[in-house]
Amino acid sequence: MKKLLVLIAVGLLVLAGCTPTEEPAPTVYKIGTASYTSVQANAFNAETGAAGRIRVNTYYATVALDADGKFVYVHIDTAQNQGTFDEEGNVVTAEPTPTKKERGDDYNMKPRSEIGKEWYEQIAALEAWMIGKTPAEVKAVPTKVVDDAHQFVPDHEDLTSSVTITIEGYLKVVEKAVANAVEVEDVAKVGAGSYTKVSGRNFNTETGVAGRIQVNVTFAGVALDADGKIVYAHIDTAQNQGTFDGEGAIDAAEAIPSKKERGDAYGMIGRSEIGKEWYQQIEALEEHILGKTPAEVKNIPTKVVDDAHQHVPSGEDLTSSVTITIEAYQGAVEKAAANAIAIP
């Protein structure tokens, strides 16, 4: 009898050991990235001699939402760049600067801040406040008018001691990022970053072609799995400009949608040797880098096609789908991955 009981016990142990264990369900988040741009312009001032200016503010954000639709990650930054010109329509300066977050203490808001906090400290406080809230709760935060330059300052007891900057642009870009969010599995880290190029063109006295300041802000949001491989990538470029005449007066200075947002209206397909629009090519690049490490993305082989296309993919796996130069996209992904932090 004892022997029988022992055999039964052993059998039960064997059966228990052979029972298949359920794989844990993959961690799924909704992740989205977007931008919002404003353009400001000032003509050359003949009275004071102050240079004319085209300033472009591109706000970009990457967010992650949990299964309950609440924020678990928010990254907001602003690429603020400008170019200046003189009374004859000649470019004086046209150089990119780091983003507001990247500038850190050098942004120099603290001496003018009534709460003694820099811009990066205030945006970090706003991001932290959003964590655990739904997009609707964030959108509904009350604001107040402080002065002409501060029309949307938080008027919430949890924020009044930490955020005195106007937040309209940040709320808009977060709302757009939520609208772009897609489900992503196996997320361990999320990050965002950008890469900026500023160019200038003098007014042409012979042809009458307007002078121009152009700002290209390429931004990326990425998610990495536990092995450091990319499981989500959103890349886009906010390309904005302002033009001026030969007397330093403004011709035009209006913000336009990003390249992805413009879709077929971007108008690349007619000039594309592979018959693909910009958004189709960037989507092919995004798809290509999924499953790769940031280092592998950085090392995608490229070739020089012409002066405007110095970094075109040369590998056979991309030549039929991507003929745009990808240096800025690689740079933005690299920065986004370097900024990535673990999320719950």
Side-chain angles (χ1 to χ4, degrees), residues 125-206:
L126 182 64
E127 292 168 342
W129 176 81
M130 292 181 182
I131 300 301
K133 292 178 174 59
T134 65
E137 290 171 327
V138 168
K139 185 178 180 180
V141 60
T143 61
K144 61 186 177 184
V145 176
V146 174
D147 54 40
D148 290 345
H150 299 82
Q151 298 275 321
F152 296 88
V153 175
D155 191 19
H156 189 290
E157 61 183 4
D158 292 339
L159 289 172
T160 52
S161 64
S162 58
V163 182
T164 57
I165 52 179
T166 194
I167 63 171
E168 180 188 23
Y170 312 131
L171 296 181
K172 283 184 178 180
V173 75
V174 165
E175 184 177 12
K176 289 181 70 174
V178 170
N180 289 342
V182 296
E183 289 190 348
V184 185
E185 294 184 356
D186 301 323
V187 177
K189 291 183 175 183
V190 182
S194 65
Y195 177 97
T196 298
K197 180 179 180 181
V198 179
S199 60
R201 180 185 70 198
N202 295 336
F203 174 81
N204 191 313
T205 55
E206 294 183 3

Side-chain angles (χ1 to χ4, degrees), residues 221-234:
V222 301
L224 308 172
D225 65 14
D227 296 322
K229 294 182 179 179
I230 296 170
V231 291
Y232 162 88
H234 179 111

